[in-house]
Amino acid sequence: MKSKKKIMLAFGTRPEAIKMAPIYHCLKDNSNDFEVLVCVTAQHREMLDHALNTFDIKPDIDLNLMTPGQDLFDVSAGVLLGMRNVLNDHKPDILLVHGDTTTSLFSGIAGFYQNILVGHVEAGLRTHNLHAPFPEEFNRQALGRVVHWHFAPTKLSRENLLREGVDKNQIAITGNTVIDALYLVLERIELNPHKRHSIQDYLSEKLSFKWMSDKFILITGHRRENFGDGFLNICNAIKILAKRFPMIRFVYPVHMNPKVQVTVRDILGNLSNVHLIQPLDYEPFVYLLKYCYFVMTDSGGIQEEAPSLAKPVLVMRDLTERPEGVEFGTVKLVGANQDMIISNVAELLEDEGIYKSMSMAHNPYGDGKASNRIIDILKGA
Ligand code: UD1
Ligand code: UDP
């Protein structure tokens, strides 16, 4: 009888969990071929647990690494040492890591040190500037040197890898698993009126306005390179906009990083049309994305999700590793620059032509079948 391949998924933060969840379920559905193990580093704790809960994933191993206000050294050392023991104990045939976090890089290195074949999901995204985003651009470039399979979401990400000398036989264009996750959740909400109503009730409890009919802008922000002046500029811009457009609501689920929390609450805490709320579970977040007028963010994943729902995105960064949305015109880079943020938000609110031109449904990131393609490749390995 053919023996099953032992696949370990290692991840640690909210976006990794969301984007690995469809692969996890696909592997489970193919249990004749695969034994699946999930190791979470818990680089994030609460935000990771929300995503695990949403996607019904029960980790086999939990390194429980998060400490409040951790720095890159804490997480890097914790993951590398933690994964040494995990890989020694469980000896997977294949290790899958995702994207560009500290968990991803140091889990990948741990796999490489132990001669385990590593697959990189969401490979080949590049800004070509090691400081933007920091340290994520370094993390994904460095991971590219140690992994065996590069699962590139788009043609462009494949080209980036080829330019770096990666063997074409080790790269596959799969689409991004975030679209699998998004479709899964949208379908669940669509097909289950009970779930829909409970999400609506939950959001109505959090938001003290008519969010299903009033115009609101959805905001997120957490990038390290924006800490300091960048975040001050972003928050001051939102404050000025909130005063200039009193009929518009600004909804901001604030990332749990204390560096983000302090600045955001300090500058935006007392404005009646700015709604600062806790990070949302993925299902209510996606639902809110469907209802918002547009998005202001420095997040990576939201740049991929919002255009699928025909929502314009203003990206509060100078560079993006996801230029496909910018090229199509649904995403615009405005920097962490106060004047640019204000003028672009005002334009979207006041100029219907520009709003319409940015709100076309566009999805260059996948068709919802990325996980199946990855699993097919692993079956043939
Ligand atoms: C990390 C990733 C970033 C990713 C982001 C997703 C790195 C270097 N950064 O950044 O690429 O875009 O996650 O959100 O890997 N915290 C909590 N509870 C949580 C999560 C975070 O309290 O559930 C607080 C803790 O004080 C923690 C701090 O946030 O120490 C920072 O978390 P960390 O993972 O180091 O950085 P992020 O900015 O979240
Ligand atoms: N997200 C969420 N709740 C929130 C904010 C974001 O579930 O309150 C989801 C979002 O839909 C996306 C992911 O979290 O899938 C993005 O995470 P984040 O912005 O923290 O990280 P990045 O994508 O920048 O690495």
Side-chain angles (χ1 to χ4, degrees):
M1 204 179 75
K2 201 177 98 188
S3 68
K4 293 185 191 188
K5 285 192 186 92
K6 196 194 260 193
I7 314 264
M8 180 180 282
L9 309 184
F11 52 88
T13 66
R14 169 176 66 189
E16 290 165 79
I18 293 169
K19 291 169 166 185
M20 289 294 243
I23 299 181
Y24 168 80
H25 285 293
C26 226
L27 286 166
K28 284 279 187 192
D29 290 346
N30 284 273
S31 59
N32 286 338
D33 296 296
F34 301 113
E35 179 190 342
V36 193
L37 283 173
V38 172
C39 171
V40 295
T41 64
Q43 174 178 338
H44 283 176
R45 186 71 273 171
E46 299 87 340
M47 286 159 54
L48 172 75
D49 291 344
H50 291 173
L52 292 174
N53 196 29
T54 298
F55 290 101
D56 199 20
I57 301 175
K58 291 182 186 54
D60 302 281
I61 306 123
D62 189 332
L63 296 178
N64 199 22
L65 286 180
M66 196 195 87
T67 53
Q70 65 205 4
D71 66 19
L72 294 174
F73 295 89
D74 299 321
V75 184
S76 305
V79 172
L80 192 56
L81 292 174
M83 289 304 293
R84 174 179 63 184
N85 297 339
V86 169
L87 296 176
N88 267 334
D89 290 348
H90 295 275
K91 301 197 172 14
D93 301 308
I94 294 171
L95 175 69
L96 293 183
V97 299
H98 180 277
D100 55 20
T101 68
T102 300
T103 287
S104 322
L105 174 60
F106 287 95
S107 300
I109 290 178
F112 174 72
Y113 284 167
Q114 304 213 11
N115 278 317
I116 292 168
L117 292 177
V118 182
H120 186 196
V121 181
E122 199 181 85
L125 277 65
R126 296 289 183 266
T127 62
H128 308 289
N129 177 338
L130 287 185
H131 298 280
F134 174 87
E136 288 81 4
E137 177 69 12
F138 168 73
N139 289 350
R140 53 188 168 232
Q141 287 195 21
L143 252 180
R145 308 313 305 168
V146 296
V147 302
H148 179 76
W149 289 283
H150 305 256
F151 300 117
T154 65
K155 196 166 154 277
L156 181 67
S157 41
R158 177 177 184 269
E159 283 162 10
N160 287 332
L161 290 163
L162 289 174
R163 266 197 296 274
E164 289 172 11
V166 176
D167 182 340
K168 66 176 184 326
N169 297 315
Q170 290 176 272
I171 311 172
I173 300 179
T174 57
N176 197 312
T177 58
V178 77
I179 304 299
D180 304 17
L182 180 69
Y183 288 178
L184 195 86
V185 160
L186 287 171
E187 192 181 68
R188 261 194 219 169
I189 299 173
E190 178 71 31
L191 295 180
N192 185 339
H194 176 70
K195 183 178 278 297
R196 198 161 56 243
H197 291 138
S198 73
I199 291 173
Q200 288 167 358
D201 291 346
Y202 173 82
L203 287 170
S204 297
E205 209 177 287
K206 300 240 167 210
L207 300 168
S208 53
F209 70 96
K210 295 196 185 82
W211 59 274
M212 292 183 80
S213 53
D214 293 353
K215 215 176 247 185
F216 71 93
I217 301 170
L218 186 57
I219 305 171
T220 77
H222 69 86
R223 296 245 81 87
R224 263 187 172 68
E225 67 275 14
N226 277 344
F227 291 167
D229 286 349
F231 258 97
L232 288 174
N233 292 341
I234 290 171
C235 291
N236 284 324
I238 296 168
K239 184 175 181 176
I240 292 166
L241 286 161
K243 289 186 173 163
R244 180 160 151 197
F245 297 99
M247 300 305 286
I248 303 293
R249 305 284 182 159
F250 297 78
V251 176
Y252 190 162
V254 187
H255 192 286
M256 292 184 83
N257 192 328
K259 294 207 171 84
V260 177
Q261 291 268 342
V262 168
T263 311
V264 170
R265 296 202 181 274
D266 190 32
I267 301 178
L268 299 172
N270 283 317
L271 297 160
S272 59
N273 55 337
V274 176
H275 302 261
L276 304 181
I277 55 175
Q278 294 293 315
L280 292 167
D281 284 2
Y282 190 55
E283 286 174 347
F285 186 78
V286 166
Y287 204 65
L288 214 49
L289 204 51
K290 261 174 73 128
Y291 276 85
C292 76
Y293 194 51
F294 62 86
V295 180
M296 299 166 66
T297 191
D298 66 10
S299 158
I302 298 168
Q303 289 178 59
E304 295 157 340
E305 293 160 337
S308 294
L309 297 170
K311 303 296 173 180
V313 187
L314 298 180
V315 177
M316 299 180 289
R317 294 164 54 176
D318 295 324
L319 295 170
T320 181
E321 60 287 309
R322 295 161 169 93
E324 294 89 346
V326 179
E327 274 155 31
F328 191 77
T330 50
V331 176
K332 190 167 178 188
L333 290 173
V334 297
N337 175 304
Q338 189 172 309
D339 293 340
M340 282 284 284
I341 295 170
I342 293 172
S343 61
N344 279 283
V345 169
E347 195 172 63
L348 271 178
L349 288 172
E350 289 169 340
D351 188 326
E352 208 159 314
I354 290 181
Y355 179 80
K356 278 212 175 110
S357 73
M358 282 186 77
S359 42
M360 287 168 295
H362 173 56
N363 178 5
Y365 300 110
D367 57 2
K369 297 190 179 115
S371 308
N372 288 322
R373 292 191 187 96
I374 291 169
I375 270 65
D376 283 347
I377 292 165
L378 297 180
K379 273 187 191 168

